[in-house]
Amino acid sequence: YGFQSSDATGMWVAKGSMAAARSGACAASLPDGRVLITGGQGPTGSTNTAEIFTADGSFSAAAGMAGARSGHSCATLEDGQILVAGGSNEFGAVSTAEVFDPAVNRWAPAGNMVSARSGHTATVLRDGRVLIAGGQGAATVYDTLEIFDPAANSFQSLSPAALASPREQHAAALLPDGRVLVAGGSNGSRALASSDVFDPRTGAVTRGPNLSAARAGVSATTLLDGRVLIAGGADDSQDLATAELYNAESGSFSLAGRMTETRRGQIAVLLPHNNQVLLIGGDRNGTSAEVFTPWRGTFRPTGNLDQVRSGAVASPVGSDGVLVLAGGRSGSAT
C-alpha cells in the first residue's frame, strides 16, 4: 500500500502484492528511493527471502539472505548498502548479520553480533557506525549494547557500558548532537518508564529522564526540529493514547497531547520533508492511522486501512509524502 500525505484526508491505495506473505519483516530505504523488504514470518516459518518495492507500485524479487530471520533489524549504511542483523528463526534468536549491496543484488556476511538477539533497535550514528541496543535472547532480555563498524565489517561489545535496565519492545532515536535516546520497553516482566542516552564520542551511557508513563511497544520519531516524539505503548494494565516530546537541549520530556486511539506496537514514520508523523495500526487498533502535526501539537485521524495489519513494515518511497506499507498479520493469517 502507498499513503499520499498531500491528501488532507489521507489515502491508502493498493499497490500490488509481495511474492511472499510475511509479518515481523524489516524495511529499509535504498539510495534510489526503492524499498528493500527482508525476512519475516511466513505461513511455514521464518523466511530468508527479500523483495524490492518501487514507486510505480511493483514488487520484484531480490537475492535471498543466507539465513532466515524475523524480528531482525535493518539499517541503511552511508554507502547505500543495507545491514540486516539478528532476529530469530525456528531455533531461537540468531547472531548472524548480512549486508545487501543493491548495485549488484548480492548479500555478503557481516560477521556475528556479540549476542544473539531479536527485537533490538539499530540506530545509524553520525560517523556511519550502527548502535545495537537491547532485545531478547534465549530466555534473556539484554541491557547490553554493541556497535557495527562498516569499515571493519564486524561487531564490538560496548561493555561495561549498559542500559539502565534490560529492554525489549523499546524505541531508539538519533538526537541532533549525535547521541542516541533509548526509551521505554519492557524488562521481560514489567513495562519501563526509564530512558538512557548513549554518547558515541565517549562510548558512555547515562541515565535519562523518566517518561510520564511506563511504555512497552512504544515508538520514537525524531522530528526535523530535533525533538523526539514518543508515542503510545502500554503500561502493565492498558494500552496508552498519550504521547510525549523529548527535548535534547533541556534533557526533559513534556506531554504532547492525546492520540485519537490507544496504540501499542504501532508503526511511526516521519513523512518526507513535511515534519508530520504518521502513526499506523497497533495491536488493538490495527486498521486505524493518525497524523501528528508538531507545529499545532495535535493528532488527527487519517485514512483507515482495509484490514488489520499487525507486524507490518513501512518505509518512505522516493516520492515526497508517499510510503509503502507491506505485509503483516490479520487475525491468524499472514
Side-chain angles (χ1 to χ4, degrees):
Y1 288 85
F3 176 73
Q4 179 63 49
S5 66
S6 60
D7 184 339
T9 62
M11 181 176 64
W12 294 97
V13 181
K15 289 291 185 179
S17 298
M18 294 187 294
R22 57 184 91 223
S23 64
C26 199
S29 297
L30 299 174
D32 59 7
R34 297 178 299 163
V35 177
L36 176 71
I37 300 170
T38 59
Q41 190 82 11
T44 60
S46 297
T47 179
N48 71 331
T49 61
E51 306 185 42
I52 292 177
F53 177 84
T54 58
D56 66 4
S58 63
F59 289 91
S60 59
M65 299 179 290
R69 62 184 85 226
S70 62
H72 51 293
S73 64
C74 51
T76 303
L77 304 176
E78 284 188 328
D79 62 3
Q81 297 189 89
I82 307 296
L83 170 70
V84 167
S88 60
N89 57 25
E90 62 269 31
F91 302 107
V94 300
S95 62
T96 57
E98 309 178 45
V99 171
F100 178 72
D101 186 343
V104 294
N105 188 31
R106 184 180 304 156
W107 293 92
N112 287 351
M113 293 195 295
V114 177
S115 301
R117 61 181 88 205
S118 65
H120 51 281
T121 54
T123 307
V124 181
L125 304 175
R126 293 285 173 81
D127 61 11
R129 297 179 299 160
V130 182
L131 175 70
I132 304 293
Q136 186 172 23
T140 300
V141 178
Y142 292 113
D143 64 358
T144 57
L145 307 101
E146 46 189 290
I147 286 275
F148 175 73
D149 185 349
N153 198 42
S154 64
F155 292 85
Q156 178 182 1
S157 171
L158 287 175
S159 179
L163 302 172
S165 171
R167 297 184 193 275
E168 60 172 344
Q169 302 180 61
H170 58 290
L174 186 68
L175 300 176
D177 60 7
R179 296 178 299 159
V180 178
L181 173 70
V182 181
S186 168
N187 64 7
S189 60
R190 60 181 178 85
L192 302 170
S194 60
S195 71
D196 293 286
V197 178
F198 170 74
D199 190 337
R201 296 165 295 187
T202 63
V205 178
T206 57
R207 180 72 179 261
N210 279 356
L211 298 159
S212 65
R215 300 176 183 272
V218 66
S219 62
T221 311
T222 303
L223 306 177
L224 296 182
D225 63 9
R227 293 179 298 166
V228 179
L229 176 69
I230 304 291
D235 59 21
D236 292 324
S237 61
Q238 62 184 345
D239 292 353
L240 303 173
T242 56
E244 313 182 34
L245 286 166
Y246 178 75
N247 186 315
E249 292 185 0
S250 63
S252 61
F253 290 102
S254 60
L255 292 177
R258 190 169 184 85
M259 301 187 296
T260 64
E261 303 275 0
T262 60
R263 300 187 187 276
R264 175 184 62 192
Q266 70 275 359
I267 297 170
V269 182
L270 181 69
L271 294 174
H273 307 306
N274 73 2
N275 204 31
Q276 291 178 303
V277 179
L278 176 66
L279 301 171
I280 310 165
D283 293 343
R284 297 186 183 179
N285 289 292
T287 62
S288 71
E290 59 187 287
V291 172
F292 174 68
T293 304
W295 58 90
R296 295 193 181 109
T298 59
F299 294 86
R300 64 170 175 82
T302 188
N304 287 351
L305 304 174
D306 62 346
Q307 60 182 318
V308 173
R309 288 175 175 263
S310 176
V313 293
S315 179
V317 189
S319 302
D320 288 355
V322 177
L323 63 88
V324 60
L325 175 73
R329 176 176 292 272
S330 177
S332 59
T334 299

